[in-house]
Amino acid sequence: MCGIAGYIGNGGNKDKLKAMAKALERRGPDDEGFYETSSEGKKVGFAFRRLSIIDVAGGHQPISNENGDVWVMLNGEIYDFKPLREKLLNLGHQFKTQSDTEVIVHAYEEWSEECFKKLDGMFAIAIWDSKKQKLTLARDRLGKKPLYYTIQKNTGESTMWFASELKALIAVGAFKKEIDPESLNLYFRTEAVPTPKTIFKEVYKLEPATSLSFVDGKITKNKFWNYPTETIENLGAENVVEELGKRIDESVRKRLVSDVPLGLFLSGGLDSAIVAESASRQHPGLEAFTLGFEDKTYDETENAKIIAKTLGLKHHIEILSEEKALAVLEDAINLLDEPLADPSILPQLLLSKFTRENVTVALSGDGGDELLLGYQHIPAHIWRERLDFLPGAFWNMSKKILNTVPSGSGYFSLGFKTQRLARGLDLENRLERDATWRGAFDQETLQKLLKMTFGLPHQGSSLVTNEAENILKAYASETSNPESWSAWSWAYLRTFLMDDVLVKVDRATMWHSLEARAPLLDTNVVSFLLSLPDEYKLGKYRDKRLFKEILKKRLPESILNASKHGFGVPISKWLNGVLKNKLLEVSDPEFLKKQNLFDSSAIAKLIKEHAAGGKDRRKELWAFLCFQMWYIRWHIK
């Protein structure tokens, strides 16, 4: 796992390459490398920071082919690099290292941009082809590894900049820090900024499963993977379980390859348990790392202890206190150069820190909820859709009743759940309802918060739109049946998982120079589960029964039937306690007046409602607090 950055154009130089590398130092503390060239009037520069995992001695980057006309940088891991290397050797290519990055060099020589279809792994790649005078960037199929780019308009030829994180582009002034109004709206609706947008104008994230070529000042993009489908006919439940188990085992096997110490995250839930079970069989004696909470309504350490003991794992536990949470909050704001309103980044940061004290690579259970419909609001969708025949008056009355349940500070308290349920209860479209339930702000509340800015009028403006819902619908439309639950899964993989969960994990682990690998997001596992009929995820197969069938021979019933428990944080209580002063500070009317983004009376009302205990405004206030702290830290003007 590493950090990459670079440029093509006359605006770059060696000092700027060093500045970008410095900004990415925590992604790769073990080594750095640079490459610069100037040919046919074009200047090209690569900067690299390395976290050594494979071929520790010989994996220096950037790396070139034999005659130096193709140069490559890789952030990530290519899991099938050994068989690819053998194939390329048989085709006559010569290698000087044992690294997975050099395989990309020769794969590109052999197959050009078609090489990305052959790579199995998580990756962000940069390739300079001096013969074709072409810069190529590529991002893995599920967007596990980040890659940002922008084109800076210079006097004369423009310069294209790219980097693993925005902070590297900020370090060299590659763009003006102007907030994009659509991105601002999307952040407060979805708690993240969806790909390909960023919070800034004219700066973009490369889409997943996409290669980008930059030649003569023009960008061309090519998709090398789309919604996967397999023909699964009359497979039968036993065969489905057996096949899924085989694919998970193979995925875990590939991710156990490492030249440095390796362990796994263990939450106490089914997703990390399915990974731990497979890993413990294939690699006995692994170390497992669990984060607990002082607030026992959020704590899963007892289940994690049982899993670790049963599977023979060496278990480490760290407890997140309020004091530790506040300490890592500053880290979160420093590492998040783009706003993200997922409070679980705080425990993820602490988990990453104490995991890194023991190992350099950790396996995670990310992806299980998206692929097997494990989120807690799925049953609410199903219940709501069974009652579609009821008139609008019934739903309006139900909303009023649900909103009377008082708030509570515990993990998914009754008041929080009923008030969230009420928000989208009258919406018939599943994806519209989902966006309304899950997001921080609904359209009505956000419209009152955002002030006249960006040249757009205040209330009733196009600034607050239903774009969050439209993004989900667009991804669902890429599938064979947009109304299916597999379409919902695909939309979630392409939004919430990629732009929230994977960003959180990547930034938190990289902040502590730790590599995270997600076996459940292996292409073959994803393809199989998306291709399964919905019946294998709902009804009698609900609550991830497919995972339970695999685990039942090794884990006790108490673990298999434990209540679903996410990586929650007691934000509701903190906003009325240890974070109250910070919240009041960033919502000070004088500061808001200078900022000219938010209506001070609207945010004051949200704070008052939450403090009174009637309305649960944890998600709205946390999104606001995170944005304001980001705004101040990154000196946005």
Side-chain angles (χ1 to χ4, degrees):
M1 204 68 69
C2 309
I4 64 174
Y7 71 86
I8 176 170
N10 292 325
N13 55 48
K14 186 62 174 289
D15 288 340
K16 290 185 176 182
L17 284 179
K18 288 183 176 180
M20 288 196 289
K22 180 66 176 177
L24 299 174
E25 185 174 7
R26 296 186 78 130
R27 296 188 71 91
D30 298 332
D31 189 19
E32 70 176 0
F34 300 94
Y35 167 72
E36 276 193 298
T37 187
S38 180
S39 62
E40 299 185 21
K42 290 184 178 65
K43 289 176 63 180
V44 176
F46 279 7
F48 180 76
R49 292 295 316 191
R50 186 186 184 203
L51 177 63
S52 302
I53 304 294
I54 301 294
D55 191 11
V56 174
H60 181 77
Q61 296 185 44
I63 190 169
S64 72
N65 62 351
E66 298 91 332
N67 52 18
D69 55 27
V70 173
W71 286 83
V72 172
M73 291 188 295
L74 163 68
N75 168 29
E77 301 287 348
I78 307 301
Y79 299 122
D80 64 341
F81 79 96
K82 289 185 177 179
L84 269 177
R85 188 177 190 274
E86 288 301 313
K87 187 172 185 177
L88 289 162
L89 282 169
N90 291 334
L91 289 170
H93 293 268
Q94 297 180 2
F95 287 77
K96 53 191 175 186
T97 75
Q98 298 296 317
S99 72
D100 52 350
T101 307
E102 191 178 7
V103 169
I104 301 170
V105 175
H106 298 287
Y108 174 81
E109 281 187 297
E110 187 67 32
W111 300 298
S112 190
E113 283 87 350
E114 289 294 304
C115 70
F116 303 122
K117 295 180 180 180
K118 302 178 183 295
L119 301 181
D120 175 13
M122 54 179 182
F123 55 82
I125 296 169
I127 302 174
W128 169 244
D129 185 333
S130 62
K131 287 184 178 179
K132 297 179 180 178
Q133 292 290 287
K134 179 170 68 174
L135 172 69
T136 300
L137 306 177
R139 193 178 182 196
D140 66 68
R141 291 165 178 79
L142 290 168
K144 298 172 190 173
K145 294 296 101 189
L147 194 54
Y148 294 82
Y149 69 94
T150 188
I151 297 179
Q152 186 179 40
K153 306 295 192 297
N154 305 320
T155 302
E157 184 190 51
S158 297
T159 300
M160 181 178 182
W161 299 87
F162 66 90
S164 294
E165 296 184 26
L166 273 174
K167 56 177 60 71
L169 302 181
I170 292 172
V172 295
F175 61 91
K176 294 181 180 179
K177 291 188 284 188
E178 296 182 62
I179 293 175
D180 181 271
E182 291 184 3
S183 297
L184 183 72
N185 166 47
L186 285 166
Y187 164 75
F188 280 111
R189 291 296 318 283
T190 69
E191 303 178 330
V193 180
T195 301
K197 289 180 172 295
T198 70
I199 193 64
F200 297 113
K201 293 181 179 179
E202 305 301 325
V203 188
Y204 306 96
K205 307 179 188 85
L206 183 60
E207 297 88 338
T210 301
S211 63
L212 177 156
S213 296
F214 188 77
V215 181
D216 294 331
K218 296 180 181 179
I219 287 177
T220 303
K221 291 182 181 179
N222 179 56
K223 297 286 289 185
F224 57 85
W225 190 72
N226 292 296
Y227 177 74
T229 56
E230 297 184 25
T231 302
I232 300 175
E233 296 179 355
N234 303 318
L235 195 57
E238 290 186 6
N239 291 329
V240 165
V241 172
E242 182 181 359
E243 179 63 20
L244 178 58
K246 288 180 179 178
R247 295 195 186 206
I248 291 174
D249 279 349
E250 175 60 16
S251 173
V252 169
R253 183 194 64 78
K254 291 185 291 187
R255 286 159 180 80
L256 288 172
V257 176
S258 174
D259 294 336
V260 294
L262 179 146
L264 52 88
F265 297 143
L266 187 65
S267 70
L270 287 174
D271 296 346
S272 63
I274 196 79
V275 173
E277 190 280 329
S278 178
S280 66
R281 277 190 285 107
Q282 301 185 63
H283 194 303
L286 276 175
E287 298 188 64
F289 303 88
T290 299
L291 192 77
F293 295 87
E294 287 184 332
D295 186 334
K296 293 304 178 183
T297 65
Y298 289 82
D299 191 69
E300 282 190 290
T301 54
E302 291 306 313
N303 284 351
K305 288 177 184 177
I306 294 171
I307 296 170
K309 183 177 180 180
T310 304
L311 299 179
L313 302 169
K314 183 180 179 182
H315 199 200
H316 305 265
I317 298 175
E318 182 84 0
I319 301 298
L320 179 67
S321 63
E322 286 187 354
E323 293 76 17
K324 290 178 180 178
L326 288 176
V328 297
L329 179 57
E330 294 301 320
D331 276 350
I333 300 305
N334 284 329
L335 68 92
L336 288 174
D337 42 30
E338 188 171 24
L340 178 70
D342 187 339
S344 64
I345 193 168
L346 303 182
Q348 186 68 62
L349 268 165
L350 186 59
L351 176 63
S352 300
K353 182 177 186 295
F354 94 94
T355 300
R356 184 61 176 91
E357 293 170 358
N358 297 272
V359 300
T360 310
V361 179
L363 273 58
S364 79
D366 294 320
D369 283 327
E370 288 77 12
L371 293 166
L372 284 182
L373 308 180
Y375 285 107
Q376 292 187 337
H377 60 294
I378 299 297
H381 277 304
I382 296 170
W383 167 80
R384 171 62 180 82
E385 289 166 14
R386 287 174 180 168
L387 300 176
D388 270 348
F389 63 89
L390 292 171
F394 172 83
W395 298 116
N396 290 332
M397 179 59 69
S398 298
K399 289 177 68 172
K400 291 179 181 179
I401 295 171
L402 290 169
N403 275 318
T404 63
V405 180
S407 174
S409 62
Y411 177 80
F412 280 111
S413 66
L414 179 61
F416 174 78
K417 289 189 284 189
T418 57
Q419 291 175 30
R420 282 275 141 180
L421 181 64
R423 284 187 9 163
L425 200 57
D426 56 336
L427 298 174
E428 293 185 6
N429 182 276
R430 180 186 298 161
L431 295 174
E432 290 180 4
R433 192 167 58 242
D434 199 284
T436 303
W437 278 348
R438 185 175 58 80
F441 282 81
D442 58 21
Q443 291 190 35
E444 181 182 357
T445 309
L446 182 56
Q447 192 164 280
K448 294 175 182 177
L449 177 69
L450 294 177
K451 283 193 65 175
M452 181 186 296
T453 187
F454 310 112
L456 296 172
H458 181 20
Q459 296 186 17
S461 76
S462 60
L463 180 59
V464 180
T465 68
N466 61 353
E467 188 60 23
E469 291 85 346
N470 291 340
I471 291 172
L472 289 172
K473 290 177 182 178
Y475 283 123
S477 69
E478 295 178 356
T479 70
S480 55
N481 180 5
E483 303 301 319
S484 69
W485 278 102
S486 286
W488 180 94
S489 290
W490 181 248
Y492 251 54
L493 290 171
R494 283 290 187 249
T495 53
F496 179 63
L497 179 90
M498 177 174 65
D499 293 316
D500 184 322
V501 176
L502 293 180
V503 169
K504 169 194 68 179
V505 173
D506 175 82
R507 301 307 190 277
T509 53
M510 286 287 89
W511 189 250
H512 294 292
S513 306
L514 174 73
E515 176 174 302
R517 298 175 177 177
L520 299 182
L521 294 176
D522 183 88
T523 303
N524 288 325
V525 175
V526 170
S527 176
F528 182 72
L529 289 175
L530 287 177
S531 300
L532 282 178
D534 288 347
E535 65 188 70
Y536 283 104
K537 306 160 195 176
L538 302 171
K540 68 179 182 179
Y541 287 98
R542 68 184 184 277
D543 301 328
K544 303 179 187 173
R545 182 177 164 187
L546 291 180
F547 282 177
K548 294 177 182 179
E549 289 296 314
I550 296 172
L551 292 170
K552 67 182 182 181
K553 293 182 179 179
R554 294 201 69 192
L555 293 180
E557 287 290 325
S558 62
I559 296 298
L560 302 183
N561 296 321
S563 299
K564 163 70 179 172
H565 208 296
F567 209 10
V569 180
I571 288 299
S572 180
K573 183 173 69 174
W574 291 353
L575 288 168
N576 284 332
V578 293
L579 291 176
K580 185 65 175 287
N581 289 337
K582 176 63 71 173
L583 181 60
L584 293 175
E585 177 186 328
V586 299
S587 59
D588 177 73
E590 288 301 313
F591 175 71
L592 295 183
K593 184 178 180 180
K594 294 177 182 178
Q595 192 180 22
N596 195 32
L597 291 177
F598 306 110
D599 186 299
S600 60
S601 62
I603 193 63
K605 181 181 178 182
L606 295 177
I607 294 172
K608 183 177 181 181
E609 288 176 343
H610 189 75
K615 287 281 189 180
D616 194 314
R617 297 295 192 180
R618 69 180 77 179
K619 288 175 79 70
E620 293 95 333
L621 292 177
W622 180 253
F624 176 78
L625 176 62
C626 289
F627 179 86
Q628 293 293 76
M629 293 181 70
W630 167 84
Y631 184 96
I632 294 167
R633 163 62 181 86
W634 292 96
H635 309 293
I636 311 303
K637 297 179 181 179

